[in-house]
Coordinates of all heavy atoms in Angstrom, one line a residue:
Chain B
D375 N -63.8 2.0 -60.6 CA -65.2 1.6 -60.3 C -65.5 0.2 -60.7 O -66.2 -0.6 -60.0 CB -66.2 2.6 -61.0 CG -67.5 2.6 -60.4 OD1 -67.6 2.6 -59.1 OD2 -68.5 2.7 -61.1
K376 N -65.1 -0.2 -61.9 CA -65.4 -1.5 -62.4 C -64.6 -2.6 -61.6 O -65.1 -3.7 -61.3 CB -64.9 -1.6 -63.9 CG -65.9 -0.9 -64.9 CD -65.5 -1.2 -66.3 CE -66.6 -0.7 -67.3 NZ -66.6 0.7 -67.5
L377 N -63.4 -2.3 -61.2 CA -62.6 -3.2 -60.4 C -63.3 -3.4 -59.1 O -63.4 -4.5 -58.6 CB -61.2 -2.6 -60.2 CG -60.3 -2.7 -61.5 CD1 -59.1 -1.8 -61.4 CD2 -59.7 -4.2 -61.6
K378 N -63.7 -2.3 -58.5 CA -64.3 -2.4 -57.2 C -65.6 -3.2 -57.3 O -65.9 -4.1 -56.4 CB -64.7 -1.0 -56.6 CG -65.1 -1.0 -55.2 CD -65.4 0.4 -54.7 CE -65.9 0.4 -53.3 NZ -66.4 1.7 -52.9
G379 N -66.3 -3.0 -58.4 CA -67.6 -3.8 -58.6 C -67.3 -5.3 -58.8 O -68.2 -6.1 -58.4
A380 N -66.1 -5.6 -59.2 CA -65.8 -7.0 -59.4 C -65.1 -7.6 -58.1 O -64.6 -8.7 -58.2 CB -64.8 -7.1 -60.6
G381 N -65.2 -6.8 -57.1 CA -64.6 -7.3 -55.8 C -63.1 -7.2 -55.7 O -62.5 -7.9 -54.9
I382 N -62.5 -6.4 -56.5 CA -61.1 -6.2 -56.5 C -60.7 -4.9 -56.0 O -61.3 -3.9 -56.3 CB -60.5 -6.4 -58.0 CG1 -60.9 -7.7 -58.5 CG2 -59.0 -6.1 -58.0 CD1 -60.8 -7.8 -60.1
A383 N -59.7 -4.8 -55.0 CA -59.2 -3.6 -54.5 C -58.5 -2.8 -55.7 O -57.6 -3.3 -56.3 CB -58.2 -3.8 -53.4
P384 N -59.0 -1.6 -56.1 CA -58.6 -1.0 -57.3 C -57.1 -0.4 -57.3 O -56.3 -0.7 -58.1 CB -59.6 0.2 -57.5 CG -60.8 -0.2 -56.7 CD -60.2 -0.9 -55.5
V385 N -56.8 0.3 -56.2 CA -55.5 1.1 -56.3 C -55.0 1.3 -54.9 O -55.7 1.3 -53.9 CB -55.7 2.4 -57.1 CG1 -56.6 3.4 -56.3 CG2 -54.3 3.0 -57.4
G386 N -53.7 1.5 -54.8 CA -53.1 1.8 -53.5 C -51.7 1.2 -53.3 O -50.8 1.3 -54.2
G387 N -51.5 0.5 -52.2 CA -50.2 -0.1 -51.9 C -50.0 -0.1 -50.4 O -50.9 -0.5 -49.6
G388 N -48.8 0.4 -50.0 CA -48.5 0.5 -48.6 C -47.9 1.9 -48.3 O -47.0 2.3 -49.0
I389 N -48.3 2.5 -47.2 CA -47.8 3.9 -46.9 C -47.4 4.0 -45.5 O -47.1 5.1 -45.0 CB -48.9 4.9 -47.3 CG1 -48.3 6.3 -47.4 CG2 -50.0 4.9 -46.2 CD1 -49.2 7.4 -48.0
Q390 N -47.3 2.9 -44.8 CA -47.0 3.0 -43.3 C -45.6 3.6 -43.1 O -45.4 4.4 -42.2 CB -47.0 1.6 -42.7 CG -47.2 1.5 -41.2 CD -45.8 1.5 -40.5 OE1 -44.8 1.1 -41.0 NE2 -45.8 2.0 -39.2
D391 N -44.6 3.3 -44.0 CA -43.3 3.9 -43.9 C -43.2 5.3 -44.6 O -42.2 6.0 -44.5 CB -42.2 3.0 -44.4 CG -42.5 2.5 -45.8 OD1 -43.5 2.9 -46.4 OD2 -41.8 1.6 -46.2
G392 N -44.3 5.7 -45.3 CA -44.3 7.0 -45.8 C -43.9 7.2 -47.3 O -44.3 8.1 -48.0
F393 N -43.0 6.2 -47.7 CA -42.4 6.5 -49.0 C -43.3 6.5 -50.2 O -43.0 7.1 -51.3 CB -41.2 5.5 -49.2 CG -40.2 5.5 -48.1 CD1 -39.9 4.4 -47.4 CD2 -39.6 6.7 -47.8 CE1 -39.0 4.4 -46.4 CE2 -38.6 6.8 -46.8 CZ -38.4 5.6 -46.1
W394 N -44.5 5.8 -50.1 CA -45.5 5.9 -51.1 C -45.9 7.3 -51.4 O -46.1 7.7 -52.6 CB -46.7 5.0 -50.7 CG -47.7 4.8 -51.8 CD1 -47.7 3.6 -52.6 CD2 -48.8 5.6 -52.2 NE1 -48.8 3.7 -53.5 CE2 -49.4 4.9 -53.3 CE3 -49.2 6.8 -51.9 CZ2 -50.5 5.4 -53.9 CZ3 -50.3 7.4 -52.5 CH2 -51.0 6.7 -53.5
G395 N -45.9 8.1 -50.3 CA -46.3 9.5 -50.5 C -45.2 10.3 -51.3 O -45.6 11.3 -52.0
E396 N -44.0 9.9 -51.1 CA -42.9 10.6 -51.9 C -43.1 10.3 -53.4 O -43.0 11.2 -54.2 CB -41.5 10.0 -51.4 CG -40.4 10.6 -52.2 CD -39.2 9.7 -52.2 OE1 -38.8 9.2 -51.1 OE2 -38.6 9.5 -53.2
W397 N -43.3 9.0 -53.7 CA -43.5 8.7 -55.1 C -44.8 9.4 -55.7 O -44.8 9.8 -56.8 CB -43.7 7.1 -55.2 CG -42.4 6.4 -55.1 CD1 -41.2 6.9 -54.7 CD2 -42.2 5.0 -55.2 NE1 -40.3 5.9 -54.7 CE2 -40.9 4.7 -54.9 CE3 -43.1 3.9 -55.5 CZ2 -40.3 3.4 -54.9 CZ3 -42.5 2.6 -55.5 CH2 -41.2 2.4 -55.2
Y398 N -45.8 9.5 -54.8 CA -47.0 10.0 -55.3 C -46.8 11.5 -55.6 O -47.4 12.0 -56.6 CB -48.1 9.9 -54.2 CG -49.5 10.4 -54.7 CD1 -50.2 9.7 -55.6 CD2 -50.0 11.6 -54.2 CE1 -51.4 10.2 -56.1 CE2 -51.2 12.1 -54.7 CZ -51.9 11.4 -55.6 OH -53.1 11.9 -56.1

Side-chain angles (χ1 to χ4, degrees):
Chain B
D375 200 40
K376 287 190 170 71
L377 286 159
K378 191 180 175 186
I382 299 164
V385 65
I389 200 171
Q390 201 268 336
D391 51 9
F393 302 122
W394 192 95
E396 177 203 315
W397 287 3
Y398 184 74

